[in-house]
Amino acid sequence: MKHSTLSEPVVPDRDTRQASIRGWKRTCPNCGKGPLLQGYLKVRDTCAVCGEALHHHRADDGPAWLTILIAGHLMAPLMLFVFEMWRPEGWMMAVGFSAVFTVLALYLLPRIKGGFVGFQWAKRLHGFGNPG
């Protein structure tokens, strides 16, 4: 809990872990019940259940960057393993791993974006802490 000064009211801390997990699940970081996203990646302006304002988020390129970083680090050892074990043709590896990478990235991207929004909400970044 933040300490109050004469000009600043006491503001309770928010659980960062819980908010990030709720974001990963693509639910509202405040109540955990309402949907966070409207469509594939569009964050709702407000939660349909609790009314929490969600339009303050500034995820920008962070989720895409982290998605590529994670998927790339998962795929690189897998590609090396497959190549060393079975020695498939180059075109087979390119097609196969491109498809796997695409599916993995499409799975991770909205979840990571939700985690970013949940983290920002919990830390009161970009206007999430402003009353009204």
Side-chain angles (χ1 to χ4, degrees):
M1 180 164 310
K2 292 182 181 176
H3 297 296
S4 173
T5 63
L6 293 177
S7 62
E8 192 177 304
V10 175
V11 180
D13 289 336
R14 293 175 175 167
D15 187 351
T16 305
R17 183 172 183 261
Q18 183 183 47
S20 296
I21 290 171
R22 285 177 175 174
W24 173 266
K25 293 178 179 178
R26 298 168 295 159
T27 59
C28 173
N30 184 42
C31 68
K33 292 181 174 61
L36 177 65
L37 302 176
Q38 176 181 335
Y40 181 64
L41 286 177
K42 170 95 170 82
V43 177
R44 294 177 180 272
D45 288 337
T46 58
C47 176
V49 175
C50 69
E52 180 72 23
L54 301 170
H55 62 88
H56 303 294
H57 79 90
R58 294 291 177 266
D60 299 329
D61 292 334
W65 171 82
L66 191 57
T67 297
I68 292 168
L69 184 75
I70 291 170
H73 279 82
L74 291 174
M75 296 298 291
L78 183 60
M79 289 172 69
L80 182 61
F81 175 77
V82 167
F83 181 75
E84 288 297 323
M85 289 298 292
W86 295 287
R87 300 283 176 169
E89 295 290 327
W91 70 269
M92 292 176 84
M93 282 195 62
V95 169
F97 280 104
S98 294
V100 172
F101 183 87
T102 301
V103 169
L104 181 60
L106 289 173
Y107 173 79
L108 289 175
L109 187 57
R111 287 158 180 81
I112 290 174
K113 183 168 185 173
F116 266 68
V117 174
F119 179 83
Q120 290 175 8
W121 176 85
K123 295 296 184 182
R124 300 178 190 277
L125 300 174
H126 309 296
F128 277 118
N130 295 340

